[in-house]
Amino acid sequence: MEEENQTVVSEFIFQGLCTSKEIQIFLLLPCFILYLMTVVGNIFVVIIIIIDHHLHSPMYFLLANLSFIDLCLSSVTTPKLITDLLKDTKTISFGGCMSQILGVHFFGGGEMVLLVTMAYDRYVAICRPLHYSSIVDRQKCIWLVLISWIIGFIHAVSQLILILELPFCGPRVIDSFFCDIPLVLKLACMNTDTLGILINADSGILATSCFILLLISYTYILLTVQLQSKDSTSKALSTCTSHIIVVVLFFGPCIFIYLWPVSITWVDKFLAVFYTVITPLLNPAIYTLRNKDIKNAIKKLKNHF
């Protein structure tokens, strides 16, 4: 009887980035341009790594996968954000909301593990260069990428299963531009404090363990680099600096949103925009601008045309 008296929520309403119609219209073009640059930039990185045989190495195979994940992660939320800037009422179906949660955690979790894999690749290349080709061969590289996708999928499904069990019968306004788990939990018609702790622990364990592994890897790499010659040091430092910048840009907002005890709405929205819109754009830019091999591949491509 109790279930029959409940009104099941079939859609949610986003409040978006802001309430001002003028600001939303102003943000439309910048958001569209950023997303277009993200799509073009990441697809370009993937294509240039595929067509240039000089880039057929484990490091660039991992970089191509990172670009693909960034493209997918941005595409989960940004197209909806752009179209909603034109609408007065920003709705999303229950299924669409659950799909966003699955997509964000699948690609986000996969990217965390992939960044650890990239750190392992750099660790072997710099700290054990003579054994690099035997330790990080093509088959092992493919397995490491598959493992990152599998872990991302398991993480996303474990989060989604917990959310799908919740009853949604009343409030349906989400103060954001996409379905983020902490905000969706607040709309459930039951006490979700314990569940919230469990979900945060799930995300926290994955993010923290990956971040610690990354810190250990890059600390060891930088200590090893100090003992090497100047030429090899500058090249290793350039590569590692690119990786470290990407790690900080990706993990910083995630850790703040999910582990910071105090929730400030405008800060959460800014950080959500940063890791779903800005970071996927910056990653190909950082690697392309700082990588000599990719710059040479771009020059050869220009000369070809």
Side-chain angles (χ1 to χ4, degrees):
M1 287 296 292
E2 187 179 342
E3 287 184 9
E4 290 177 8
N5 291 333
Q6 288 183 344
T7 304
V8 178
V9 171
S10 59
E11 64 179 19
F12 296 100
I13 299 170
F14 292 138
Q15 287 195 342
L17 291 175
C18 60
T19 54
S20 170
K21 188 66 180 175
E22 290 75 18
I23 295 176
Q24 289 183 57
I25 296 298
F26 174 76
L27 291 172
L28 180 63
L29 186 60
C31 286
F32 176 76
I33 291 171
L34 286 172
Y35 180 63
L36 184 64
M37 289 170 67
T38 299
V39 173
V40 172
N42 283 292
I43 290 176
F44 178 74
V45 170
V46 173
I47 289 173
I48 204 162
I49 288 171
I50 290 171
I51 64 175
D52 194 315
H53 69 275
H54 292 104
L55 302 178
H56 291 179
S57 66
M59 184 178 84
Y60 294 109
F61 175 71
L62 295 173
L63 177 55
N65 275 275
L66 178 67
S67 287
F68 180 70
I69 286 182
D70 276 331
L71 173 62
C72 294
L73 179 61
S74 184
S75 297
V76 171
T77 58
T78 312
K80 174 68 175 166
L81 164 65
I82 293 167
T83 55
D84 279 351
L85 288 171
L86 295 168
K87 299 176 183 176
D88 293 324
T89 305
K90 307 165 184 25
T91 59
I92 185 169
S93 67
F94 182 85
C97 184
M98 296 303 110
S99 297
Q100 279 196 338
I101 289 173
L102 181 69
V104 167
H105 285 269
F106 175 38
F107 296 118
E111 181 159 342
M112 287 181 188
V113 182
L114 185 61
L115 288 170
V116 174
T117 303
M118 293 175 77
Y120 171 72
D121 171 72
R122 290 302 83 206
Y123 160 75
V124 177
I126 293 167
C127 300
R128 302 185 65 186
L130 299 177
H131 304 281
Y132 179 73
S133 58
S134 60
I135 295 173
V136 188
D137 56 24
R138 185 170 183 80
Q139 189 175 6
K140 184 175 285 185
C141 214
I142 292 169
W143 272 108
L144 288 170
V145 169
L146 280 174
I147 288 167
S148 70
W149 284 97
I150 290 166
I151 291 175
F153 180 73
I154 292 170
H155 166 67
V157 169
S158 67
Q159 300 270 295
L160 187 65
I161 288 171
L162 294 172
I163 295 291
L164 286 173
E165 293 298 314
L166 294 174
F168 295 97
C169 56
R172 58 195 186 113
V173 178
I174 298 173
D175 192 6
S176 185
F177 62 92
F178 75 103
C179 287
D180 202 8
I181 286 181
L183 299 175
V184 174
L185 279 177
K186 293 177 181 178
L187 304 181
C189 301
M190 61 176 283
N191 188 296
T192 57
D193 292 344
T194 305
L195 187 62
I197 292 169
L198 186 63
I199 287 174
N200 278 343
D202 185 346
S203 297
I205 288 168
L206 179 64
T208 306
S209 56
C210 287
F211 193 62
I212 289 169
L213 286 171
L214 286 164
L215 282 177
I216 293 168
S217 299
Y218 286 118
T219 301
Y220 197 87
I221 289 168
L222 293 173
L223 290 172
T224 304
V225 161
Q226 286 185 331
L227 304 174
Q228 296 179 350
S229 63
K230 285 186 178 180
D231 291 337
S232 58
T233 296
S234 60
K235 187 175 180 181
L237 273 176
S238 177
T239 305
C240 286
T241 302
S242 299
H243 285 226
I244 291 166
I245 290 169
V246 168
V247 167
V248 171
L249 288 175
F250 184 78
F251 278 89
C254 291
I255 289 171
F256 192 93
I257 287 173
Y258 286 97
L259 300 180
W260 197 256
V262 180
S263 178
I264 305 168
T265 302
W266 72 267
V267 174
D268 288 348
K269 285 184 182 180
F270 170 77
L271 292 174
V273 169
F274 196 85
Y275 81 77
T276 58
V277 181
I278 308 297
T279 303
L281 169 64
L282 290 178
N283 284 356
I286 290 166
Y287 282 110
T288 304
L289 295 173
R290 296 185 62 87
N291 190 290
K292 192 178 290 184
D293 292 334
I294 289 184
K295 283 193 280 189
N296 289 336
I298 293 169
K299 284 179 185 176
K300 283 196 290 182
L301 193 65
K302 284 180 179 177
N303 293 334
H304 181 72
F305 288 105

